[in-house]
mmCIF file of all heavy atoms in Angstrom:
data_model
loop_
_atom_site.group_PDB
_atom_site.id
_atom_site.type_symbol
_atom_site.label_atom_id
_atom_site.label_comp_id
_atom_site.label_asym_id
_atom_site.label_seq_id
_atom_site.Cartn_x
_atom_site.Cartn_y
_atom_site.Cartn_z
ATOM 1 N N VAL A 37 16.071 -9.611 143.471
ATOM 2 C CA VAL A 37 17.362 -10.205 143.882
ATOM 3 C C VAL A 37 18.363 -9.402 143.203
ATOM 4 O O VAL A 37 19.435 -9.141 143.734
ATOM 5 C CB VAL A 37 17.459 -11.703 143.540
ATOM 6 C CG1 VAL A 37 18.840 -12.109 143.778
ATOM 7 C CG2 VAL A 37 16.530 -12.367 144.511
ATOM 8 N N ALA A 39 18.132 -6.345 141.856
ATOM 9 C CA ALA A 39 17.928 -4.946 141.786
ATOM 10 C C ALA A 39 19.094 -4.180 142.257
ATOM 11 O O ALA A 39 19.793 -4.447 143.196
ATOM 12 C CB ALA A 39 16.725 -4.560 142.749
ATOM 13 N N PRO A 89 18.770 -2.472 119.720
ATOM 14 C CA PRO A 89 18.477 -2.105 118.293
ATOM 15 C C PRO A 89 19.596 -2.436 117.409
ATOM 16 O O PRO A 89 19.488 -2.265 116.170
ATOM 17 C CB PRO A 89 18.374 -0.466 118.459
ATOM 18 C CG PRO A 89 19.070 -0.132 119.667
ATOM 19 C CD PRO A 89 18.995 -1.273 120.703
ATOM 20 N N ALA A 130 19.214 -4.122 136.397
ATOM 21 C CA ALA A 130 20.566 -4.485 135.860
ATOM 22 C C ALA A 130 20.651 -4.855 134.380
ATOM 23 O O ALA A 130 21.656 -5.202 133.987
ATOM 24 C CB ALA A 130 21.154 -5.730 136.724
ATOM 25 N N ALA A 169 35.824 3.888 147.825
ATOM 26 C CA ALA A 169 36.978 3.224 147.244
ATOM 27 C C ALA A 169 37.304 1.970 147.865
ATOM 28 O O ALA A 169 37.765 0.965 147.152
ATOM 29 C CB ALA A 169 38.163 4.147 147.386
ATOM 30 N N SER A 186 14.776 7.651 136.421
ATOM 31 C CA SER A 186 13.573 8.248 135.798
ATOM 32 C C SER A 186 12.746 7.208 135.158
ATOM 33 O O SER A 186 13.264 6.173 134.598
ATOM 34 C CB SER A 186 13.914 9.339 134.702
ATOM 35 O OG SER A 186 14.659 10.387 135.299
ATOM 36 N N PHE A 226 -2.044 2.857 106.950
ATOM 37 C CA PHE A 226 -1.160 2.503 105.805
ATOM 38 C C PHE A 226 -2.033 2.237 104.577
ATOM 39 O O PHE A 226 -2.933 1.405 104.569
ATOM 40 C CB PHE A 226 -0.564 1.311 106.160
ATOM 41 C CG PHE A 226 0.670 1.063 105.164
ATOM 42 C CD1 PHE A 226 1.575 1.839 104.672
ATOM 43 C CD2 PHE A 226 0.690 -0.232 104.537
ATOM 44 C CE1 PHE A 226 2.584 1.700 103.818
ATOM 45 C CE2 PHE A 226 1.685 -0.559 103.650
ATOM 46 C CZ PHE A 226 2.654 0.363 103.277
ATOM 47 N N PHE A 246 4.170 8.385 110.795
ATOM 48 C CA PHE A 246 5.528 7.734 110.906
ATOM 49 C C PHE A 246 6.650 8.671 111.126
ATOM 50 O O PHE A 246 7.516 8.449 111.949
ATOM 51 C CB PHE A 246 5.813 6.945 109.426
ATOM 52 C CG PHE A 246 7.033 6.302 109.434
ATOM 53 C CD1 PHE A 246 7.296 5.058 110.136
ATOM 54 C CD2 PHE A 246 8.248 6.842 108.803
ATOM 55 C CE1 PHE A 246 8.583 4.435 109.951
ATOM 56 C CE2 PHE A 246 9.505 6.218 108.802
ATOM 57 C CZ PHE A 246 9.630 4.925 109.330
#
Side-chain angles (χ1 to χ4, degrees):
V37 170
S186 297
F226 189 55
F246 178 79

